[in-house]
Amino acid sequence: MPAVSKGDGMRGLAVFISDIRNCKSKESEVKRINKELANIRSKFKGDKALDGYSKKKYVCKLLFIFLLGHDIDFGHMEAVNLLSSNKYTEKQIGYLFISVLVNSNSDLIRLINNAIKNDLASRNSTFMNLALHCIANVGSREMAEAFASEIPRILVAGDTMDSVKQSAALCLLRLNRTSPDLVPMGEWTARVVHLLNDQHLGVVTAATSLITTLAQKSPDDFKTSVSLAVARLSRIVTSASIDLQDYTYYFVAAPWLSVKLLRLLQCYPPPEDTSLRSRLTECLETILNKAQEPPKSKKVQHSNAKNAVLFEAIALIIHHDSEPNLLVRACNQLGQFLQHRETNLRYLALESMCTLASSEFSHEAVKTHIETVINALKTERDVSVRQRAVDLLYAMCDRSNSKQIVAEMLSYLETADYSIREEIVLKVAILAEKYAVDYTWYVDTILNLIRIAGDYVSEEVWYRVIQIVINRDDVQGYAAKTVFEALQAPACHENLVKVGGYILGEFGNLIAGDPRSSPLVQFNLLHSKFHLCSVPTRALLLSAYIKFINLFPEVKGTIQDVLRSDSQLRNADVELQQRAVEYLRLSCIASTDILATVLEEMPPFPERESSILAKLKKKKGSSKLPDMDDSRKNVNGSTEHAEDAEVASKVPSHTFTDDLSVNSAPSSGASLLVDVFSDFSSAAPTEGSDEHFPRFVCKNNGIIYENQLLQIGLKSEYRQNLGRMYVFYGNKTSTQFLSFSTSVSSNDVLDSQLNVQEKPVDPLIEAGAQVQQILNIECVSDFSDAPILNIQFRYGGTLQNIAVKLPVMLNKFFQPTEMTSQDFFQRWKQLGAPQQEVQKIFKAKNQMDTDVSKAKLLGFGVALLDGVDPNPANFVGAGIIHTKTTQVGCLLRLEPNTQAQMYRLTLRTSKESVSQRLVELLSEQF
Amino acid sequence: MIKAILIFNNHGKPRLSKFYEHYNEDTEQQIIRETFHLVSKRDENVCNFLEGGLLIGGLDYKLIYRHYATLYFVFCVDSSESELGILDLIQVFVETLDKCFENVCELDLIFHVDKVHHILAEMVMGGMVLETNMNEIITQVDAQNKMEKSETFIFQSTRQDR
């Protein structure tokens, strides 16, 4: 029997829909809809109370009208009323309307929340599910505020139905995405992990999604999920598919759950435990083996599901990047897919190979597929696939194959789809520069780029070629000759005229010896393009002319005539006119010496990151680096200002620079200027962070700092009064960090109490790479401040400064001490002097959980003494702080009061400052 | 995460739109039009993935679609979802619709928008995949229908239905 029988719908609704469908024109449709809207409005407003059925019918009509693209600005109240109906169908349609149509109208949200609250409390699983769905679909902040603490309870409660658990897990996941700050961590997290063992695979799948997201944010809290996930995965992969009845999809056992579990494992490094690790390796091998087996069904769904798991397994292998054997197998498998007849698989294989290309173990293996990839670029019918092929070629490019790859990309560019041309241009430009052994090849490549795809060559690209030619005198003569030849073409792109004008203006003298490119020939060639060019290009050409006057006195007369002509001196464009006037005047009054100084060859540009790379990054993910862009704009504002001032005061040695800036100003290239003239590049303000600091009081490893560019992780170990800290700097961008340096600073007081010695760190961090630095720490005497780690590096045009408070605290030098109850009380009494005891009473900031508190105290460094305190709820601990000069014995007692949600913490040590500091540190942890 | 699920026919008429992120009505309509434009101009036999249009766009998002007879099913997802997995999900969705409506056709989606929403809600919730097991989904849908039936008989009298 069909689940929906076609006759029993709402007749009024069906009639209305048929009417709409019979409308011959848009106008009649709109008319019919307006009539219906008026009808519904009057029904809603009417005196007669509507029954649930009619409300439901009208709400359905509104939904249909909304789908057709018409605004619905009423009916919300009726929908909310439907929520509190106890008829399932009415409630359901009310929730549907709300989740499709409600925006954050706060009055209504309160009413909706009320209804949701009732349904959540109803213990009716259908109603609870509807309510959870609504929270997840709307996902607004108000809802998160109202329910974020309630949902974890539902999720881990023992008597919750499976289907509700499933919804609760996803609902929580949704809230965690929209308002992470409102979802409290706590006791439930440990129990969520155990849902991975649940009987019901639907629950496991939902829980895996939830844990994956949470683990990305706080990996340490969910570490235990790794072993459970491996166990679960292993059971699925090795089981005969009958075990999983319903979750077998076209002969593949629980593909969806397998994919999710493999994703979860990608949040963690390979397991350290060897048996666990070998179990996982076994799973991955089995998955790879299965790919070679003959298919159990010819249906595409079968191969889809199987390959979904396979690709995820490969992604995990790439993520771990540790088993060369698996990596090579993964690469071979992808190689097979590159030639598969399924387009989807070719697409995904190209995509996965892109990430594989960056692994050192498999880079070479990926390179062996170069011919196949080039072939894909030429023959694939699908632009999505060709795009992936371009990406992969870019990723696999290195010095050995760069010429081939660049040549192929250039030839593809001639026929490439318009949508991806600009990106290819940028990629070619970057590769050509990165792997240029001799710069003649580079110059040729860029000029070819301009010839083939001039319209797609952005300013960054031709700025960059000029920067490089100016900075390398070995290529200047060649560049001058090549642009001269390229300019001979009857129709050449304006970008070529710009490059040509600039380069001949600087280095035309290098080819002037040849009568075929004598000064006059050069000038005539440039000037023949002048009238076809836009204003900025003409301005640049005028500057080239005045440079010619300096380089070649013999053409001075000719050029002065040109400058003097009405079309220049009286040009309607102010900029052109001013240049003509000033240059003409300059050429008349200045002596040769002055001219030579003013119009001297451009000084080399400072080395910096390619502006093209920045552009590519921007294209790829503009949202990722917003702060960078902002700082550039600011810098740029001041740059222009500075240059204006220069022109005004007639300090003329930068004439050409001015011209370039005029070229790109004012609308187009705000951010580009800085790259070209980075004398003005400035340091971004120091960014500081100590938000993660408190987290390290009770643990030694983790992420201490992270922004869009950089992630800093720490591992530390302490013995007695000595410590060693491993600092990991991870470059999150796709660009190198240059001039990377660090220093540790502390104030004068701290300086005498704590020695921190840093080992050198690599000044260059490659894109996506991580470098490690070791800090050796010695505690001389007790201290209460923390040293600051200052990090400085150059990213793009800007200098980045970051200051991080290093989590070196006094308690790190604890040695736990076991003692009997008798000893403890004896010492407790000995330390009875008022200045030796420090006590603090404070409110609990987290859930009061015995196990968590225990773990924190152990992490703090003391030994926990059982059976000392008569009240078993209290904690008692002891330890010795080691410093170079002295050792300080410490006793502590923590008394939780769950009713009042308060703690009392007492510390007794032989030194007041130690007691004080330890209380400060520890009381923040609960 | 799934950002949006769209169904439209070969002429671009929307048959279902479900957004898991909030846009205003105009933007939603624009997204539907643009998505239709992107998807419909592609040949059969090309791959089922494409990088999103400008609106739904951003590097992290992909459109994953399938074309069945007169209808396009398009999911816009971010990189946390497996591409092939989503293709499977679309297939499960269609097979489920087929079971629930007995040989589903476009008209079923038009006249039972609410039902389609309810079926979808059993599979995807707040942009996350809730259930992929078709039997489980159909069981839930059946249970809903039973409840609905028991309620309709109570109050469906001989009223003028307009």
Side-chain angles (χ1 to χ4, degrees):
Chain A
M1 191 194 90
V4 179
S5 42
K6 295 180 185 181
D8 64 358
M10 287 165 282
R11 209 171 58 85
L13 176 65
V15 169
F16 168 62
I17 294 175
S18 301
D19 281 0
I20 295 286
R21 286 169 50 78
N22 289 333
C23 286
K24 292 280 182 291
S25 66
K26 192 82 199 164
E27 288 76 37
S28 56
E29 184 186 306
V30 172
K31 213 168 139 196
R32 179 66 183 88
I33 284 172
N34 285 337
K35 187 179 149 204
E36 192 62 39
L37 285 174
N39 172 36
I40 299 172
R41 211 186 287 263
S42 73
K43 284 274 165 32
F44 281 165
K45 283 217 180 110
D47 309 326
K48 224 172 74 193
L50 291 174
D51 59 22
Y53 172 83
S54 317
K55 275 192 207 155
K56 179 181 155 189
K57 181 178 64 186
Y58 294 130
V59 166
C60 269
K61 284 184 182 176
L62 290 180
L63 275 176
F64 184 77
I65 295 172
F66 179 74
L67 181 64
L68 292 176
H70 298 266
D71 280 2
I72 302 295
D73 52 6
F74 67 101
H76 299 73
M77 204 52 220
E78 283 70 19
V80 173
N81 287 338
L82 285 174
L83 293 187
S84 35
S85 159
N86 44 22
K87 286 211 178 64
Y88 169 68
T89 41
E90 290 169 15
K91 199 186 267 295
Q92 187 190 33
I93 207 83
Y95 272 120
L96 177 59
F97 184 91
I98 303 284
S99 56
V100 172
L101 268 160
V102 153
N103 40 34
S104 5
N105 181 331
S106 59
D107 295 346
L108 277 180
I109 288 280
R110 209 166 307 134
L111 292 171
I112 296 168
N113 278 358
N114 249 335
I116 291 178
K117 193 169 279 166
N118 291 335
D119 283 336
L120 283 184
S122 69
R123 309 189 64 81
N124 171 334
S125 64
T126 315
F127 290 0
M128 286 172 89
N129 271 337
L130 283 175
L132 289 168
H133 271 272
C134 182
I135 301 173
N137 285 337
V138 176
S140 71
R141 242 193 121 68
E142 290 91 339
M143 286 194 177
E145 272 163 6
F147 302 110
S149 51
E150 171 72 3
I151 295 166
R153 215 185 43 70
I154 297 177
L155 177 58
V156 297
D159 57 349
T160 307
M161 300 260 297
D162 285 339
S163 67
V164 178
K165 268 190 202 166
Q166 230 169 320
S167 306
L170 293 186
C171 187
L172 196 54
L173 167 52
R174 170 70 174 189
L175 293 185
N176 187 61
R177 280 184 198 228
T178 50
S179 324
D181 52 312
L182 294 178
V183 177
M185 291 296 189
E187 202 185 355
W188 61 275
T189 47
R191 298 172 68 178
V192 161
V193 172
H194 284 282
L195 289 178
L196 289 177
N197 278 333
D198 201 283
Q199 293 277 314
H200 190 278
L201 285 201
V203 174
V204 185
T205 311
T208 312
S209 301
L210 173 63
I211 295 169
T212 305
T213 304
L214 295 175
Q216 279 162 354
K217 287 181 181 140
S218 41
D220 283 351
D221 295 338
F222 295 90
K223 244 184 200 150
T224 45
S225 64
V226 173
S227 58
L228 293 176
V230 172
R232 193 90 216 197
L233 181 68
S234 159
R235 264 181 283 156
I236 297 171
V237 171
T238 53
S239 77
S241 47
I242 4 170
D243 302 349
L244 299 158
Q245 323 108 4
D246 285 351
Y247 284 84
T248 297
Y249 176 80
Y250 288 92
F251 304 102
V252 183
W256 196 274
L257 177 56
S258 309
V259 164
K260 290 281 170 196
L261 289 169
L262 289 162
R263 279 277 156 125
L264 169 59
L265 292 171
Q266 286 172 54
C267 301
Y268 290 95
E272 277 165 22
D273 177 89
T274 43
S275 71
L276 191 61
R277 191 171 173 150
S278 67
R279 197 160 177 201
L280 177 58
T281 307
E282 205 180 301
C283 283
L284 295 171
E285 274 170 349
T286 313
I287 295 172
L288 285 169
N289 291 341
K290 279 189 183 166
Q292 301 302 328
E293 289 168 10
K296 291 188 182 136
S297 153
K298 288 223 166 77
K299 285 257 170 75
V300 63
Q301 284 81 7
H302 170 69
S303 74
N304 251 354
K306 197 163 129 181
N307 291 326
V309 179
L310 179 58
F311 272 108
E312 219 50 65
I314 291 176
L316 180 62
I317 292 170
I318 297 173
H319 169 79
H320 282 173
D321 198 16
S322 61
E323 305 260 356
N325 175 32
L326 285 177
L327 279 164
V328 170
R329 284 193 67 185
C331 186
N332 290 341
Q333 181 63 53
L334 293 178
Q336 281 182 23
F337 282 147
L338 283 184
Q339 320 231 28
H340 203 279
R341 61 186 169 77
E342 269 278 319
T343 317
N344 287 339
L345 295 182
R346 296 199 300 275
Y347 173 95
L348 293 173
L350 287 166
E351 192 178 58
S352 303
M353 255 198 190
C354 239
T355 43
L356 202 53
S358 55
S359 156
E360 55 170 325
F361 296 116
S362 50
H363 183 80
E364 287 303 314
V366 171
K367 273 167 62 185
T368 58
H369 299 289
I370 185 168
E371 296 302 333
T372 319
V373 181
I374 287 173
N375 200 35
L377 192 61
K378 288 177 176 160
T379 57
E380 281 291 348
R381 287 166 54 217
D382 185 349
V383 58
S384 302
V385 184
R386 290 196 297 267
Q387 166 93 58
R388 290 281 83 87
V390 171
D391 286 350
L392 178 54
L393 283 178
Y394 180 74
M396 67 158 73
C397 190
D398 63 15
R399 210 166 283 285
S400 71
N401 56 20
S402 56
K403 288 218 163 144
Q404 185 188 8
I405 286 178
V406 165
E408 291 295 346
M409 280 186 164
L410 271 177
S411 80
Y412 172 59
L413 192 53
E414 307 212 28
T415 54
D417 311 72
Y418 295 111
S419 55
I420 58 175
R421 279 195 183 185
E422 185 178 1
E423 197 181 315
I424 297 176
V425 166
L426 292 173
K427 286 186 162 150
V428 168
I430 291 166
L431 292 178
E433 179 185 337
K434 194 164 171 194
Y435 297 113
V437 185
D438 69 300
Y439 278 85
T440 58
W441 175 68
Y442 170 74
V443 170
D444 284 343
T445 304
I446 300 294
L447 291 183
N448 259 331
L449 262 189
I450 297 177
R451 184 178 57 75
I452 296 168
D455 285 343
Y456 298 90
V457 172
S458 55
E459 290 181 317
E460 290 87 346
V461 175
W462 75 263
Y463 281 10
R464 188 70 186 159
V465 71
I466 285 172
Q467 284 175 19
I468 286 179
V469 170
I470 301 250
N471 287 11
R472 310 202 145 254
D473 37 20
D474 54 334
V475 76
Q476 288 160 357
Y478 181 80
K481 180 163 160 284
T482 317
V483 291
F484 177 78
E485 280 161 9
L487 282 170
Q488 309 274 343
C492 51
H493 197 272
E494 189 164 331
N495 279 336
L496 182 67
V497 179
K498 291 179 186 163
V499 176
Y502 201 108
I503 288 182
L504 291 181
E506 293 291 331
F507 309 113
N509 55 329
L510 299 176
I511 56 169
D514 188 328
R516 284 168 298 178
S517 52
S518 71
L520 192 61
V521 176
Q522 284 185 39
F523 172 74
N524 285 337
L525 181 61
L526 280 182
H527 199 54
S528 70
K529 316 283 180 196
F530 187 90
H531 303 282
L532 302 170
C533 292
S534 62
V535 168
T537 310
R538 289 191 200 187
L540 183 144
L541 285 177
L542 288 178
S543 297
Y545 297 169
I546 186 74
K547 287 237 162 185
F548 269 11
I549 291 184
N550 174 44
L551 290 178
F552 316 118
E554 62 265 44
V555 294
K556 184 173 175 178
T558 320
I559 292 175
Q560 280 176 333
D561 287 344
V562 168
L563 292 177
R564 203 175 285 130
S565 71
D566 278 356
S567 62
Q568 307 299 349
L569 277 190
R570 298 193 181 168
N571 195 297
D573 186 273
V574 179
E575 179 63 36
L576 292 181
Q577 192 187 83
Q578 184 173 356
R579 284 189 189 218
V581 172
E582 287 179 2
Y583 292 162
L584 181 61
R585 199 74 197 125
L586 183 66
S587 70
C588 295
I589 56 169
S591 70
T592 0
D593 282 355
I594 292 176
L595 264 186
T597 319
V598 172
L599 301 171
E600 202 181 11
E601 191 178 300
M602 284 293 291
F605 289 93
E607 288 299 333
R608 67 179 73 84
E609 186 211 352
S610 160
S611 48
I612 310 174
L613 214 52
K615 165 103 175 180
L616 183 65
K617 256 179 279 165
K618 208 166 162 183
K619 234 180 118 56
K620 279 290 187 184
S622 49
S623 57
K624 280 189 187 155
L625 305 163
D627 51 342
M628 287 287 303
D629 283 338
D630 285 348
S631 71
R632 282 178 182 206
K633 262 176 218 139
N634 295 341
V635 169
N636 194 55
S638 58
T639 311
E640 281 182 339
H641 211 77
E643 286 189 353
D644 288 346
E646 248 176 19
V647 173
S649 60
K650 303 245 177 215
V651 178
S653 71
H654 276 76
T655 335
F656 240 116
T657 339
D658 290 345
D659 297 348
L660 256 182
S661 76
V662 166
N663 258 326
S664 52
S667 57
S668 59
S671 64
L672 317 174
L673 287 171
V674 185
D675 263 311
V676 182
F677 315 110
S678 79
D679 325 30
F680 297 99
S681 103
S682 76
T686 301
E687 244 188 278
S689 162
D690 48 25
E691 51 175 323
H692 296 300
F693 184 86
R695 282 212 237 139
F696 283 79
V697 171
C698 294
K699 61 177 198 170
N700 286 331
N701 305 333
I703 304 293
I704 182 75
Y705 176 83
E706 183 156 12
N707 68 5
Q708 287 105 329
L709 309 176
L710 179 72
Q711 185 190 60
I712 306 176
L714 294 181
K715 267 191 183 171
S716 34
E717 47 198 37
Y718 294 90
R719 191 172 307 143
Q720 308 226 318
N721 69 321
L722 298 177
R724 172 169 288 183
M725 188 176 272
Y726 300 87
V727 190
F728 300 90
Y729 303 98
N731 178 347
K732 291 168 68 182
T733 72
S734 47
T735 314
Q736 296 173 332
F737 291 164
L738 300 170
S739 329
F740 189 90
S741 67
T742 66
S743 65
V744 175
S745 59
S746 22
N747 59 34
D748 292 348
V749 182
L750 185 60
D751 235 347
S752 60
Q753 297 166 333
L754 190 75
N755 289 328
V756 181
Q757 177 214 5
E758 0 161 19
K759 300 276 184 202
V761 61
D762 204 328
L764 182 130
I765 307 185
E766 292 289 353
Q770 195 181 55
V771 303
Q772 176 192 323
Q773 183 181 30
I774 297 177
L775 306 178
N776 287 327
I777 301 159
E778 186 192 37
C779 175
V780 180
S781 64
D782 72 279
F783 61 98
S784 51
D785 265 337
I788 306 284
L789 176 66
N790 301 294
I791 298 137
Q792 202 179 59
F793 58 93
R794 199 168 269 285
Y795 170 80
T798 27
L799 201 58
Q800 305 284 330
N801 281 308
I802 294 164
V804 178
K805 206 160 148 192
L806 276 179
V808 181
M809 303 93 169
L810 186 57
N811 65 298
K812 298 293 173 196
F813 304 94
F814 248 130
Q815 190 185 18
T817 324
E818 296 285 351
M819 58 180 76
T820 63
S821 145
Q822 199 184 353
D823 282 348
F824 181 85
F825 280 114
Q826 196 180 352
R827 289 184 201 194
W828 185 263
K829 275 182 208 140
Q830 279 168 8
L831 296 169
Q835 69 272 22
Q836 290 173 323
E837 183 193 271
V838 174
Q839 191 171 72
K840 188 169 174 186
I841 298 172
F842 55 93
K843 207 162 171 53
K845 274 183 284 191
N846 301 308
Q847 202 144 11
M848 297 178 79
D849 178 73
T850 312
D851 289 332
V852 175
S853 303
K854 245 184 205 163
K856 281 185 177 159
L857 287 169
L858 290 172
F860 192 62
V862 294
L864 280 179
L865 309 175
D866 283 331
V868 171
D869 200 298
N871 179 351
N874 294 347
F875 301 94
V876 167
I880 298 168
I881 299 264
H882 288 260
T883 72
K884 193 179 175 189
T885 47
T886 166
Q887 298 189 354
V888 184
C890 311
L891 304 175
L892 77 77
R893 185 177 192 208
L894 179 71
E895 300 158 82
N897 179 344
T898 38
Q899 217 158 30
Q901 291 285 305
M902 304 282 277
Y903 287 102
R904 180 162 70 186
L905 174 65
T906 316
L907 260 134
R908 288 193 181 183
T909 77
S910 49
K911 210 168 168 191
E912 188 186 2
S913 56
V914 173
S915 305
Q916 192 65 48
R917 180 61 180 156
L918 291 178
V919 166
E920 270 168 34
L921 287 169
L922 192 57
S923 61
E924 289 302 306
Q925 299 296 313
F926 290 92
Chain B
M1 179 179 162
I2 300 168
K3 202 171 179 183
I5 294 173
L6 307 174
I7 304 177
F8 39 71
N9 71 6
N10 290 347
H11 306 288
K13 277 250 179 247
R15 292 307 179 210
L16 175 100
S17 70
K18 179 81 192 155
F19 287 84
Y20 296 100
E21 217 156 85
H22 188 74
Y23 296 97
N24 66 35
E25 287 83 355
D26 290 345
T27 321
E28 288 186 1
Q29 290 302 319
Q30 218 176 326
I31 290 175
I32 294 173
R33 274 197 302 277
E34 191 197 39
T35 310
F36 169 69
H37 185 73
L38 281 171
V39 170
S40 64
K41 70 176 183 201
R42 291 169 62 82
D43 296 341
E44 299 293 321
N45 294 328
V46 297
C47 74
N48 298 89
F49 321 121
L50 70 160
E51 262 95 300
L54 287 174
L55 287 169
I56 212 148
L59 182 67
D60 205 34
Y61 286 94
K62 274 202 181 93
L63 296 176
I64 297 177
Y65 73 99
R66 267 182 189 272
H67 189 192
Y68 294 90
T70 63
L71 293 175
Y72 285 96
F73 287 69
V74 186
F75 282 44
C76 173
V77 302
D78 68 9
S79 62
S80 71
E81 302 290 346
S82 147
E83 288 96 340
L84 292 173
I86 293 289
L87 277 183
D88 285 344
L89 187 69
I90 299 178
Q91 177 71 19
V92 171
F93 186 30
V94 173
E95 286 184 28
T96 309
L97 289 174
D98 202 48
K99 286 228 170 105
C100 291
F101 288 105
E102 235 178 29
N103 286 328
V104 66
C105 69
E106 195 180 335
L107 283 177
D108 294 321
L109 303 198
I110 298 171
F111 285 102
H112 300 282
V113 183
D114 51 334
K115 281 274 166 332
V116 180
H117 270 288
H118 297 323
I119 293 169
L120 183 61
E122 293 301 324
M123 304 181 61
V124 179
M125 163 172 169
M128 271 90 42
V129 181
L130 179 66
E131 185 56 74
T132 54
N133 171 2
M134 208 190 318
N135 296 337
E136 184 83 34
I137 299 166
I138 290 177
T139 314
Q140 295 287 348
V141 174
D142 278 341
Q144 285 179 16
N145 287 325
K146 272 206 197 95
M147 274 189 274
E148 187 175 348
K149 278 248 171 63
S150 66
E151 284 173 4
T152 23
F153 283 123
I154 303 168
F155 62 85
Q156 203 168 44
S157 51
T158 49
R159 90 186 72 210
Q160 265 302 92
D161 201 345
R162 275 213 38 89

